[in-house]
Amino acid sequence: YKEVHMKTVKFKLISALLLLIIAFSLTNCIISKDDKKEYDQLKARCELESQNKSTVRQVFEAINARDFEKMRTFYAPEYKMTGPRLPNAYTIDSLIQYIQRDIAVFPDWKYSVENMVAQGDTVAVKIAQFGVQANEYMGIKPKANQISRAAIFITVFSNGKLKETLILQDNLGFMEQIGMQLTVKPEDKTKGKR
């Protein structure tokens, strides 16, 4: 009888000890409602940023594949692209026309995503563009050499679609590579006189 009683006591002690360990572990694992809410918000933001970055990559993949209908699906109807040297904002239609004009001159023109950063609804991407000039461009005959142009696109998303983009690209370096030269404008004799 003593032996059975000792086994029962040991079993109860071990069971109680295991329950205490489990209870202690659970209390340390439980997070507050505020912490859970903050975690859920952070998780949703990370998922949104990841999705937006993926969309930007898909845009450049569609351009490189010359699939402009697919490219169009990533843009909001009210899309606008602006930049310091753009006299008018591009819509999705005028952007596609611009890209197609470049491709007519540089048939193998490609876009390579070099770096990308996302914060909320905004994605900044560093792009390398490159190709061989095969046709005349602004009166300059092709030289069959590789041309490259660096660019930074800062894009704002709305409801998963590209809504607006600010583009900054090295057009001066691009023009020099195809053979243009930077010259000083002739002085205007009427300026500065009273």
Side-chain angles (χ1 to χ4, degrees):
Y1 170 78
K2 257 184 168 181
E3 206 173 293
V4 172
H5 180 64
M6 282 303 277
K7 285 184 180 181
T8 305
V9 170
K10 282 183 183 179
F11 177 76
K12 287 181 180 180
L13 283 173
I14 291 173
S15 297
L17 185 58
L18 284 174
L19 284 173
L20 282 172
I21 291 171
I22 291 170
F24 180 74
S25 296
L26 288 176
T27 58
N28 285 333
C29 292
I30 295 175
I31 57 174
S32 70
K33 286 183 182 180
D34 290 339
D35 289 342
K36 172 89 168 95
K37 182 179 177 183
E38 185 178 338
Y39 169 79
D40 289 343
Q41 289 172 342
L42 182 59
K43 183 179 175 185
R45 180 177 166 179
C46 288
E47 288 171 357
L48 173 70
E49 291 169 353
S50 180
Q51 179 59 46
N52 289 345
K53 287 168 57 175
S54 175
T55 299
V56 168
R57 281 192 193 285
Q58 291 176 62
V59 165
F60 289 110
E61 288 169 3
I63 294 171
N64 288 340
R66 311 303 191 238
D67 189 346
F68 297 106
E69 289 310 309
K70 182 176 182 181
M71 176 188 165
R72 190 181 295 279
T73 65
F74 299 113
Y75 291 80
E78 70 275 13
Y79 175 78
K80 298 285 183 232
M81 175 185 271
T82 60
R85 304 299 289 168
L86 295 179
N88 299 310
Y90 284 129
T91 64
I92 184 57
D93 292 327
S94 57
L95 175 60
I96 289 172
Q97 290 170 0
Y98 171 80
I99 293 168
Q100 288 173 330
R101 280 193 306 268
D102 275 356
I103 291 169
V105 176
F106 305 91
D108 65 340
W109 196 250
K110 296 288 184 200
Y111 294 78
S112 174
V113 174
E114 294 193 336
N115 199 355
M116 201 173 343
V117 177
Q119 183 174 0
D121 288 334
T122 303
V123 175
V125 59
K126 179 182 174 193
I127 295 293
Q129 306 165 62
F130 52 90
V132 175
Q133 182 182 355
N135 296 302
E136 191 173 295
Y137 184 78
M138 297 178 72
I140 297 176
K141 300 209 181 303
K143 295 177 183 64
N145 56 329
Q146 177 100 2
I147 306 295
S148 64
R149 177 170 52 195
I152 294 177
F153 295 78
I154 302 171
T155 299
V156 177
F157 281 78
S158 178
N159 298 318
K161 303 277 186 178
L162 285 82
K163 182 180 176 188
E164 60 186 68
T165 300
L166 171 68
I167 181 173
L168 305 164
Q169 59 185 5
D170 181 16
N171 288 324
L172 178 59
F174 172 78
M175 296 298 191
E176 287 174 338
Q177 289 175 71
I178 63 170
M180 289 188 175
Q181 293 182 352
L182 183 63
T183 60
V184 179
K185 290 182 182 179
E187 187 177 328
D188 185 349
K189 304 285 186 201
T190 61
K191 284 187 179 178
K193 293 189 177 184
R194 294 185 186 220

